[in-house]
Amino acid sequence: MRDLDITNSDHALQMGLKKTEFERIVQLLQRAPNKLELGIFAAMWSEHCSYKSSRIHLKKLPKSGSTVLVGPGENAGVIDVGDNLAVAFKVESHNHPSFIEPFQGAATGVGGILRDVFTMGARPFATMNLLRFGAKNHFKTRHLLSGVVSGISGYGNCFGVCNVVSDVAFDPSYNGNILVNAFAIGVVPHDKIFLGTAEGVGNPVFYVGAKTGKDGIHGATMASDEFSESKEAARPTVQVGDPFKEKLLLEACLECFSKNILIGIQDMGAAGLTSSSFEMADRGQSGLLLHLDRVPLREKNMTPYEIMLSESQERMLLVVKKGEEQVLIDIFSRWDLDVVEIGSVTDDGMVRLFWHGEEYTALSPEMLTKEAPIYDRFYEAPERAASSAADFHLDNFSYEDLLLKLVRHPDLSNQNWITEQYDRHIGLGTLQHQHQADAALVQIPGSSKAVALQIGCDSRLCGIDPREGVKRILARMVLQIACVGARPIGLSDCLNYGSPEDAVCMWQLVSGIEGLAEAADSFQIPVVSGNVSLYNQTDHKPIDPTPTIALVGLQEKPMQTATLFFKNEGDLIVYVGSFAHQFSGAELLFEGQVKPRYLSNTWDLNRVTSLSQLIVEQVRIGTILAAAHVGKGGLLYTIFKMAHAGKKGAHVQLDISMSEHLTSLFFSEDAFGAVISVPREKLGIIEKAFLNIAAVHVLGTVSSQELSCQLGRKNLLQLPMDIISHHYDSGLCEVVNGRIDS
Amino acid sequence: MSRFVQVVVTLKNAVLDPQGDATVHALSALGFDNIESARVGKVIHLAFKNELEPGQLKEQAALMAQKLLCNSVMENFQIQVVEDKAGVP
Amino acid sequence: MSRFVQVVVTLKNAVLDPQGDATVHALSALGFDNIESARVGKVIHLAFKNELEPGQLKEQAALMAQKLLCNSVMENFQIQVVEDKAGVP
Amino acid sequence: MTVAIARFLGSNCDRDCLHIFQEILKEICLFVWHDEFELPADVTAVVIPGGFSYGDYLRCGAIAAHRPLMSAVKQFVDQGGPVMGICNGFQILCEAKILPGVLLPNRHGRFVCNLQEISVSQGGVGIFKNYNDNEKIKLPVAHHDGNYYADTATLDCLEKNNQIALRYTSTDEQGHAHVNGSSRGIAGIFGGPKNNVLGLMPHPERRSEHRLGGDDGLRMLRGLVHR
Ligand SMILES: Nc1ncnc2c1ncn2[C@@H]1O[C@H](COP(=O)(O)OP(=O)(O)O)[C@@H](O)[C@H]1O
Ligand SMILES: [Mg+2]
């Protein structure tokens, strides 16, 4: 079939459009589209680009705030951090490509998010990622893990940006759909923020960066469909990332920003030249004239259809101030990059595509953006089964066994094998990375302030209760950044769910968004950017709901912080926060294969806010020496991690009155709070400060060489730190080197 | 009969090869400006424990290439039986 | 006359090849336990702009290998003229 | 003192080095572009920073080694000028044959970023005048190809001429560094007519401020400009 041949609804179906959507296109055009037009519609109306299933719900998220300079809608959100500086950040998914080719899929995911940030005018200064793999013994897991991690490391390290947090977990629900969510943050002066808009009739449009090849044609549609065995065969050419080229592109773009010669800039991400041109024209309420035959090509004989839909990496579309063309050309040539004028801005509200001097086709950007379908899809909660949590007994295990099992769990064990593959220090801003504190702390280039960064999700909680789950995720993260003395300033989210055409998945998505909205409102954190990734399912088996949250906090006095590790023998180990007597979401339960169906309580987010504010105050005045929230793994695991990080031990001495709830005290994940260490003489300050806000429980003292717990005089647990550490160091390595059950 | 096989793994044609492109660039900067394109791949020299018929060697190496040495999503491979270990013809 | 050359760059024998060793390991984990050793090298396919005599092609490619494609501290190279671009014999 | 920081396409620690020399050591500092044939006349020291010059394609440092700037650096070296190549800079110096040997991929095949204990083998003199002999310091590494290799004769020669500058203290029975497999634990070597060239895999600029955990690296950078 040729580009200008007329299509029918069967063709539309092959490109991922529904019959009704095809009919709508015919209605809009008042005729049947040709293949090129249909391809453009299919890409722009895909779930990935149009947000047709999530759009009405995303509106519920709080987006504004006095510090928000740019909210959702642009390539990244931008937040004021004072001193005429702002940070631009976003998290984005690259799930489907990473499952097909883990190295390149993950690499190009990093490349995409970096471009989203630097198209705003911001120089990226830190990245994070969240990865989800299938069961640790699934036959694909090992290969996918090492491929994804080296892909991220290969790209980010070469580009030259530090990676400070990587949140990794394994669960059978991801056997057929792994998740790769990448986050980047950059810094930009207020007056140098750029937007993806095409304005000013007659201004030239430039194509810069890498050449266009046949890679990833229809990638956006692929990301909007579920996998199945049969579809694996018909996949598009893998997109290969070139971090070297991206680094050159960054430097060249930043030079252009500083010279004020640009009107607008947008990267060619999903749906390539199609989305960038139509979205820029739409934002500028203008038109564009593009000569597709001028686009630099990697392969001969590419058709306009292929050129418009290619997803080759490391390319950008720029609208340049008329008269400044030569300045631009000189900059890009110096950085050894292709730079070609391919068209100009018009005012007739149409994007006109030319091919060797003749108009090939013309479409109105509005048809592709504002007229894109919006669905209010049916959703329905599944029936609730009775909880089995109450039947669960841990009596068969000793506390020692349980602790060792926990620290050896691949999600909770030492993650060095992964994180050492990322350059954590480049840029000279990393004050603390994820193994040194409860949140990463990275100095903002050109400022004395730092951002606190954390990324995470708990799909077990969200699988049990998608609404309460996401609230808890955000609450925990607020506590995490409080532990380094930072207050939240904004967040970005990446909503990974199954098919929106499935009523239960859709219910999970809606509940997740509503839970996030409620929590973000309560903590007064604006949601300034994000991404939605649906259809994460293979042969009708969806993943557990995974709403990734990337939280950004501000620390004005980065030296007044707390780290993860216990400092001095004899310091008091104190718990501040709530207590739970249940187990509903705990890691331990899942090791025992018991899946409870609801969470036992709802967290009072106002109390979380007060608690986190107090922690921030006490960290900044230096009462608190070490701090970590209690999250996945529970209290005992947290104490171990803090002792391990400080090469110390811990002695926990419990009052006899605690004897009834020991197991939940040690292992439950149902409470919110933090473990802190304080010098003995400062306990009074803490007790006074937290009075009426949170329980303050002295749990014991920092010791050396062993972790021990006593109830009154009774020994509950006593283990040398070496032994626990050995298990802690082994967990992830077992996945990396382990036997494969196929 | 031989024990030695050379497996050459190359990127499929449509797949971008940044390394090859950089090589062309670097060669031209060195004055070798008569190169149109370069593609960089991998070569694996396998020494089997026992001597086998060429047909058998090829067959076994092909299986190994399919299973491990070559990433079929983006690479092709070719197999050649060679005389000795260092065995590039 | 041809335009295509294949340059195979291999590690010298004295240089350890962890990637090769890892390949033997991985193959044996997959049940291919008849491999004694594996060495991993690079293959570079060059397409010249113009057709040349085989002798000239070889000579030029050898110069490129000496200057850039191969580092004689650790690597050897071999050159072969091939018929076409995808050109693995 | 004027420190020239070399800038190849793909260098990415250039700005970090600039920051330390300019803001911490208060030296005059400038970038020199890869296609320059000469160094500015007032340059008194050259730093080749880390990064992934030309994408690390083909071999790390191989393409950068042939840029015009490297012939200028070679001249500067021959005149006894102090030069430091950090990480990718070390790889470039080896590929340019200004230093002997080559950096192979890490033995475990992965990129590694962590803090290493390093022993200063030639403390007290030259670039290392601010260290005691055999002083143990801590420096971060971040590389994929840091496995120093040279044939035995070359290694013996380096040893004999006191050219082994830095060693990782953690090695296996054969003397290979655990972190990357480097021969004889080598983390850095001297070269040039007066041992005026230092190539090293660790990043001294990343440990040159207290906010970043210490200043073990700063003394080396200071030694480069004030020998
Ligand atoms: N879950 C979400 N939360 C907040 N903003 C979102 C979310 N999903 C998408 N957005 C915003 O919608 C816009 C479109 O996103 P997207 O199409 O993913 O951008 P890209 O062009 O990079 O693919 C962006 O500004 C993005 O930040
Ligand atoms: Mg984008």
Side-chain angles (χ1 to χ4, degrees), chain A residues 444 654 695 721:
Chain A
I444 302 168
L654 298 173
M721 284 296 290

Side-chain angles (χ1 to χ4, degrees), chain A residues 51 58 61 72-74 90 92 116 493 495 527 529-532:
Chain A
Y51 292 86
L58 287 176
L61 295 172
E74 285 289 339
K90 187 179 174 192
E92 197 157 53
D116 273 340
D493 62 314
L495 305 170
V527 181
S529 61
N531 185 246
V532 180

Side-chain angles (χ1 to χ4, degrees), chain D residues 152-201:
Chain D
T152 312
T154 308
L155 290 173
D156 289 344
C157 186
L158 285 174
E159 204 123 26
K160 201 175 81 217
N161 297 334
N162 297 329
Q163 278 177 266
I164 298 179
L166 301 165
R167 292 185 206 256
Y168 304 104
T169 56
S170 169
T171 55
D172 65 16
E173 309 85 69
Q174 285 95 48
H176 297 291
H178 280 129
V179 61
N180 52 23
S182 207
S183 312
R184 304 193 190 181
I186 290 174
I189 58 172
F190 285 122
K194 301 177 191 159
N195 276 358
N196 50 321
V197 182
L198 171 64
L200 75 168
M201 286 317 293

Side-chain angles (χ1 to χ4, degrees), chain A residues 124-138:
Chain A
F125 65 89
T127 59
M128 307 191 276
N129 58 61
L130 176 136
L131 312 176
R132 292 292 180 268
F133 299 98
K136 65 177 178 184
N137 54 0
H138 186 264

Side-chain angles (χ1 to χ4, degrees), chain A residues 559-603:
Chain A
M559 289 301 121
Q560 297 172 10
T561 187
T563 49
L564 192 61
F565 44 93
F566 286 152
K567 304 287 176 309
N568 318 298
E569 280 175 46
D571 285 345
L572 295 178
I573 302 171
V574 178
Y575 176 75
V576 290
S578 74
F579 279 106
H581 303 314
Q582 264 84 22
F583 259 113
S584 43
E587 203 66 50
L588 274 176
L589 284 184
F590 290 93
E591 281 287 289
Q593 301 300 316
V594 186
K595 283 209 182 197
R597 304 304 297 246
Y598 58 85
L599 298 178
S600 59
N601 61 351
T602 350
W603 286 3

